[in-house]
Amino acid sequence: MTETPLDIPRAWAEVVDPAEPGQRLRLDLTWLTSRWRCIFGAGCPGIDAAEPDAGCCVLGAHFTDDDDVERVAAVVERLGPDEWQQHDEGRAEGWIVELEDDDAESGTARATRVVDGACIFLNRPGFPAGEGCALHRHALAEGLEPLTTKPDVCWQLPLRRTYRDVELPDGTSYLEVTITEYDRRAWGPGGHDLDWYCTGAPEAHTGAEPVYLSMRAELVELLGPQGYAVLVRLCEEHLAAVAALTGGAGPGGRPLLPLLVHPATRAAGG
């Protein structure tokens, strides 16, 4: 199925953050009401065709700050060889690397090591504890949300949160917090060279619930409980408007403006 183009029309909602009156939430309703779901281990061909079993883990996870590193480091200390395929390698050679980064305040950035073509925390098919991220599987085994054990970039993907200072004509300003789709561009120039990418692929838009429900824990962490409550209301109103326009027939009924339903969700029949 054809991947959705990057520059599709989108429906946005902008509201004052109920928890922070000095900032506004800018929410991509087209993405948040889509039926995207992670299909790792369920047909995901991976972003690198040479590593189809690695999903999007072929790149080391870049850490956002010291808190991100310290949180993951605490989890790594609890990982045993029965949970982590690269345990001995990680203990002997380390699991984190420093990278040159012109944008970083110190001139360097940190990321998880890449071993044998993928992140050091990736368990490969055939590993007794199961394939996939060792940090993710540890969270599930402990009854925790994976966002408490994984690097920020990993648990947020494919949500993208950005910030922008907006100056108004009267001399006042506010902080704009945007929640949208982490598309190919968000990976940087190399994102255009990925062999496959899930957010625009109809194959991955087969979720039982829309994103704003299936990624509730992540969105609450990104927006706070009050901000998430506003998001839910706006998404429900958006979906009700779509249903009214189609007479309840869904995207396969009357023609809709493309901004109302994510094209990949429509192509998947959702």
Side-chain angles (χ1 to χ4, degrees), residues 80 106 115 127 169 206 234 242-243 270:
S106 63
V115 176
F127 183 64
T206 56
L234 292 169
V242 171

Side-chain angles (χ1 to χ4, degrees), residues 25-36:
L25 306 177
R26 182 171 175 263
L27 307 170
D28 180 355
L29 300 183
T30 300
W31 167 246
L32 293 166
T33 58
S34 77
R35 291 290 176 146
W36 176 89

Side-chain angles (χ1 to χ4, degrees), residues 95-155:
W95 52 272
I96 193 169
V97 294
E98 289 195 347
L99 308 168
E100 293 297 326
D101 187 350
D102 294 336
D103 295 328
E105 192 172 305
S106 63
T108 60
R110 289 163 293 180
T112 59
R113 281 181 61 206
V114 172
V115 176
D116 296 333
C119 174
I120 194 169
F121 292 110
L122 179 70
N123 295 336
R124 301 302 185 118
F127 183 64
E131 65 181 292
C133 175
L135 298 168
H136 188 107
R137 297 192 70 88
H138 179 81
L140 298 181
E142 295 293 319
L144 303 171
E145 290 288 351
L147 64 87
T148 65
T149 62
K150 299 171 68 174
D152 286 340
V153 68
C154 298
W155 66 257

Side-chain angles (χ1 to χ4, degrees), residues 211-225:
V211 166
Y212 77 92
L213 294 178
S214 64
M215 298 193 72
R216 177 187 181 280
E218 292 83 357
L219 288 164
V220 170
E221 185 70 18
L222 291 172
L223 295 171

